Amino acid sequence: MSTQQNTAGIWRLGGELPVNRIGFGAMRLTGRTAFGSRQDRPTAAALRERAIAVLRRAVELGVDHIDTAAFYFSPLLSANELINRALAPYPDNLVIATKVWAGRDPSGEWWWARPEQLRGQVEENLRQLGRDRLDLVNLRVPPSHRDAPLAEHFGALAELREAGLVRHLGLSNATAAHLAEARAIAPVACVQNAFGIGAPAAERELLRACGEQGIAYVPFFAIAGAGREAGAQAAEDERVLAVARARGATPAQVRLAWTLAQGPHVLAIPGTGDPVHLAENVAAGALRLSAEDLALLG
């Protein structure tokens, strides 16, 4: 294991699965855009080989926590199948987290599963990844469902956990009310939400509450920020640039270091299909921001 990676520290998901706090997000493995496009077709073979190389290099660097989903695919590439091809037979310590409720049909159109359809989504992930049990499944809450209950869906996932198909459960794109509702049904190992520099007060409070309850908080878009699926914006925040210059780091590394500084229960899952960016992201685990840096970044 890379000492570079270990400097970020370790968290035990669900109180039992130790993972390095810098993991890897598989969203961008299938192309430049988050969910692929027809522009990927001419370069599918090259993308496949590069993605496989990046995944293998990530594990070499000590990454032992990969975030993926069956709906991460482009016309010719599937993130889950790339992970399977690159890393199976899997290292004993590798934790793979995936997401259900959200889905995409073969044309790429989004759909949202009914509770009774979640088993099919879990089985789809099992099949693509070549596993008998999923380490962690996050219930991805639809944007239209932010103020609605999720007990029926989470209860269906809890049944799959009892059946042995899933080891741990989590929530994605969830609120504090969702977390309380879910915890009344089954243990919650993590909350995975959009979070980064400039995050609203309510999300910061949810992050803090997760720490108090021993729940991992796993931000996505920690680097991309407002750019979200499109990636990091060309015009970087001047505060981030100032800290990056002072620390001899990249803006992405500063954003990751800030993320990790929010608490020992906070994990990072930066995604990339570029081996150079991968190495830079892993190296961010060694970057320690000062109190002055953190105050400047907010």
Side-chain angles (χ1 to χ4, degrees):
M1 239 180 235
S2 164
T3 55
Q4 193 177 40
Q5 175 69 39
N6 286 343
T7 57
I10 290 173
W11 177 260
R12 291 186 179 273
L13 279 169
E16 58 143 356
L17 293 179
V19 293
N20 289 314
R21 291 178 62 210
I22 292 186
F24 180 83
M27 186 175 68
R28 302 191 187 280
L29 285 178
T30 64
R32 289 174 297 173
T33 56
F35 300 107
S37 71
R38 295 192 179 276
Q39 294 175 348
D40 296 327
R41 286 184 183 273
T43 59
L47 282 169
R48 181 183 297 108
E49 294 311 309
R50 187 171 75 164
I52 288 171
V54 165
L55 284 163
R56 289 174 176 167
R57 181 58 179 152
V59 171
E60 289 173 357
L61 290 172
V63 169
D64 54 11
H65 167 212
I66 296 176
D67 176 78
T68 187
F71 54 78
Y72 290 168
F73 67 85
S74 64
L76 294 180
L77 297 174
S78 154
N80 278 356
E81 292 170 359
L82 287 167
I83 292 168
N84 188 346
R85 181 169 175 178
L87 302 178
Y90 297 106
D92 291 339
N93 66 331
L94 181 65
V95 174
I96 299 179
T98 189
K99 293 171 283 294
V100 296
W101 198 345
R104 291 167 69 216
D105 65 26
S107 72
E109 290 298 314
W110 289 95
W111 64 281
W112 298 91
R114 299 187 302 275
E116 65 271 19
Q117 293 176 308
L118 293 179
R119 185 183 185 106
Q121 289 188 324
V122 165
E123 290 176 344
E124 179 183 26
N125 279 279
L126 287 168
R127 183 174 60 255
Q128 291 177 349
L129 291 166
R131 306 201 89 168
D132 296 324
R133 181 170 67 164
L134 298 174
D135 299 316
L136 172 63
V137 174
N138 289 307
L139 186 67
R140 173 73 172 186
V141 181
S144 61
H145 213 82
R146 293 282 288 178
D147 298 318
L150 49 65
E152 196 173 359
H153 281 81
F154 197 78
L157 267 192
E159 291 178 4
L160 297 178
R161 176 175 172 267
E162 290 297 320
L165 296 181
V166 178
R167 188 166 182 173
H168 291 290
L169 303 178
L171 298 173
S172 180
N173 199 37
T175 64
H178 288 146
L179 177 57
E181 186 181 8
R183 290 188 74 215
I185 298 169
V188 176
C190 75
V191 171
Q192 184 190 86
N193 281 4
F195 185 88
I197 293 171
E203 199 59 43
R204 292 173 184 255
E205 175 58 25
L206 179 56
L207 180 152
R208 184 192 62 77
C210 283
E212 292 177 348
Q213 296 168 29
I215 297 170
Y217 186 92
V218 189
F220 55 86
F221 300 142
I223 294 176
R228 297 179 66 85
E229 290 89 353
Q233 296 177 307
E236 180 57 90
D237 187 305
E238 285 299 326
R239 299 170 299 169
V240 174
L241 289 174
V243 174
R245 286 192 294 265
R247 295 292 173 186
T250 68
Q253 288 175 324
V254 170
R255 286 182 176 274
L256 287 173
W258 180 90
T259 298
L260 295 173
Q262 303 309 301
H265 66 298
V266 179
L267 311 182
I269 49 170
T272 181
D274 185 322
V276 174
H277 290 163
L278 168 68
E280 291 175 350
N281 291 342
V282 170
L287 179 59
R288 299 291 185 268
L289 301 180
S290 69
E292 291 75 16
D293 293 334
L294 295 172
L296 176 63
L297 295 170

